[in-house]
Amino acid sequence: MMSTRIQQPLSAFPRQQRGAMLVLVVIALASMLLMGALALDGGHMLVNKSRLQNAVDAAALSGAKTLSTVMGTTGAATLAQTAALNTLTLNASASGNQELATAIGNNVGGFATVELASTVYGPFSFPGPANASYVRVTVTNYSLAGFFWGVFQTLGNGVGNKFVSAVATAGPSPASPCDLTPLMVCGDPTKNNPATGMFWGFQFGDAQVLKTAAGNSSPIGPGNFQLLDFGSGGSTVRQGLAGGITQCNSVGSNVQTKPGNTVGPASQGLNTRFNQYSGGLSAANYPPDLVITTNSKSFTYDDTLAQIQYNNQAVTSSSGNLSAGGSALYDYNNWVQESANCVAGGGGGCQSGGAFERRIIKIVIGDCSGKNDGASSIPVLGFACYFVLQPASQKGNEAQIFGQFEKVCEGDNVPGPNPANTTGPQIIQLYKTYIDNSQTPSTDS
């Protein structure tokens, strides 16, 4: 007896497989859409993180730069904060940053926090310490449009709102004293104790003769008037006193003195800082200081008494405040306040087209011990920043320059990663942000 074998139609198997394949295709498409959504939102976050960081970096630099120009004056912290927030707002208003501008709205102070500290490691606060020189700008929550972000949130896994954050710290870094003025004061190697405020015999606020006149006893030696040889004669002296040459020296090296008074070129160069021009110099190349205020009478030097005088009275200094015969004189402290007012836009008497700190000159502190006749090689002890008290008044062979010692200008020849912990030539730069006093670096800076 033969059994009947029933065969399944060949077309049934493909129909079953088509159903399974449809499910796989749907899953694959969903996965691709999810990956595309993730790429879209992730890319959106990355772009806005970069834009925010750039804006915060610029804000910190602006705040630190402003702070460096108004440090020690009333409201310095507020001026630095305002500068930082204004810069952040300006960046948000730039093309392509509409989303950032919308997030800031009219409340930039609520969007970003500006804090100050005396060291790059903090602690940061507002208004911060009186000697603050570092500025930190922080944005903790910059909310972004979600696009497909809601899909990830529905999947769980602790996915929160879509936002980015950024933080930046800026402050001073030592730079090279390569804009030296061809002048030198003679320091005392035995009198250098920064802990007590003594630098090679000089203290903050001391009035000093920076260029002697004919008939005065030269601290360097006969025939020298505290000028240095940075090049070819009077022309270099003129440009150097105006601030138009680049000259780099380092502690421990030697500088060459320049014998001769060179009265005319020295006066012509220095006086550009007071908006006085001659000898082919112009304001276009050598702008005046923001503030050119001086005392009504000129300082003089009594060589017999070895004494700087004003109106025939000895000039004395107390915490940078100069006086003569019991009367206060216009000095470095007055100039600092007026300059800060000019930077803040609220001061009178500011020079149109003036430049900040043109009345601050950096000169060599030399070891003039020993006999120094004619052209001499003098060891460099350090560098000093002096506030120029008045224009050089040329009278025959006299063209004395008077300054007020501000600080030492050390510098390490190049800007670097280490924060400036000394005074001197500086630039404002960004630093890694540290989130605690243990110097733990932030991942957002």
Side-chain angles (χ1 to χ4, degrees):
M1 181 177 178
M2 294 181 63
S3 60
T4 303
R5 183 178 181 182
I6 301 175
Q7 293 182 337
Q8 187 171 356
L10 294 176
S11 61
F13 181 75
R15 282 198 297 270
Q16 291 175 348
Q17 294 301 309
R18 281 199 295 271
M21 288 296 295
L22 183 60
V23 173
L24 293 175
V25 169
V26 170
I27 293 174
L29 288 174
S31 299
M32 292 174 64
L33 288 173
L34 191 61
M35 291 177 64
L38 178 62
L40 178 62
D41 276 293
H44 181 242
M45 290 180 67
L46 184 61
V47 167
N48 279 277
K49 165 66 177 177
S50 297
R51 290 174 176 171
L52 177 64
Q53 189 65 60
N54 289 339
V56 169
D57 287 349
L61 288 168
S62 176
K65 180 60 177 177
T66 299
L67 183 61
S68 72
T69 64
V70 299
M71 188 183 302
T73 62
T74 303
T78 300
L79 291 171
Q81 179 191 56
T82 300
L85 295 179
N86 285 346
T87 299
L88 183 60
T89 301
L90 288 172
N91 274 275
S93 301
S95 177
N97 284 346
Q98 183 58 45
E99 191 169 357
L100 179 58
T102 301
I104 292 175
N106 295 320
N107 186 27
V108 66
F111 180 79
T113 302
V114 179
E115 300 170 298
L116 287 71
S118 58
T119 75
V120 73
Y121 305 113
F124 283 84
S125 61
F126 186 85
N131 62 339
S133 56
Y134 295 87
V135 174
R136 183 172 71 184
V137 179
T138 307
V139 175
T140 57
N141 191 333
Y142 169 26
S143 298
L144 302 172
F147 300 125
F148 298 98
W149 198 254
V151 176
F152 306 121
Q153 290 178 311
T154 59
L155 296 176
N157 297 324
V159 177
N161 295 328
K162 182 181 175 185
F163 71 94
V164 292
S165 59
V167 61
T169 302
S173 170
S176 171
C178 286
D179 53 347
L180 289 172
T181 302
L183 297 173
M184 183 179 71
V185 291
C186 295
D188 187 340
T190 67
K191 296 181 180 179
N192 187 47
N193 189 355
T196 63
M198 179 67 69
F199 303 93
W200 313 113
F202 306 110
Q203 292 180 297
F204 170 70
D206 287 348
Q208 186 77 26
V209 177
L210 306 183
K211 181 183 181 299
T212 54
N216 292 159
S217 299
S218 171
I220 301 176
N224 286 282
F225 297 84
Q226 295 177 245
L227 289 170
L228 294 179
D229 188 356
F230 284 175
S232 55
S235 176
T236 300
V237 171
R238 182 186 297 108
Q239 292 181 18
L241 267 294
I245 62 174
T246 298
Q247 173 69 28
C248 303
N249 290 91
S250 59
V251 173
S253 64
N254 282 23
V255 289
Q256 294 296 125
T257 63
K258 180 189 179 303
N261 210 339
T262 321
V263 173
S267 300
Q268 293 164 356
L270 182 81
N271 291 352
T272 61
R273 303 169 190 269
F274 293 90
N275 204 29
Q276 299 177 18
Y277 296 93
S278 59
L281 304 177
S282 68
N285 295 321
Y286 306 104
D289 194 280
L290 284 174
V291 178
I292 62 173
T293 305
T294 60
N295 292 285
S296 58
K297 296 181 182 295
S298 296
F299 290 88
T300 58
Y301 184 73
D302 188 313
D303 192 54
T304 302
L305 298 175
Q307 183 183 86
I308 296 176
Q309 297 182 342
Y310 180 81
N311 200 24
N312 297 319
Q313 299 287 330
V315 175
T316 60
S317 174
S318 176
S319 300
N321 297 311
L322 297 182
S323 62
S327 299
L329 300 175
Y330 187 89
D331 53 29
Y332 171 76
N333 289 334
N334 300 120
W335 170 82
V336 166
Q337 186 63 62
E338 289 191 17
S339 297
N341 292 337
C342 288
V343 172
C350 306
Q351 287 295 302
S352 175
F356 180 68
E357 284 195 342
R358 281 277 287 150
R359 285 176 71 173
I360 299 295
I361 60 175
K362 304 179 183 72
I363 67 176
V364 171
I365 303 175
D367 181 0
C368 304
S369 58
K371 187 175 178 62
N372 299 297
D373 294 334
S376 301
S377 181
I378 305 293
V380 176
L381 295 174
F383 306 95
C385 286
Y386 274 91
F387 167 67
V388 183
L389 287 163
Q390 64 188 30
S393 179
Q394 182 180 348
K395 296 179 181 178
N397 288 328
E398 293 187 8
Q400 290 174 305
I401 298 174
F402 294 91
Q404 194 175 6
F405 181 77
E406 179 196 357
K407 58 189 178 183
V408 291
C409 300
E410 295 180 357
D412 63 354
N413 292 329
V414 291
N418 297 318
N421 54 14
T422 60
T423 56
Q426 298 171 349
I427 64 167
I428 301 300
Q429 68 173 36
L430 292 169
Y431 288 95
K432 186 72 177 177
T433 295
Y434 299 90
I435 58 178
D436 56 37
N437 288 333
S438 298
Q439 301 182 15
T440 305
S442 166
T443 59
D444 279 324
S445 64

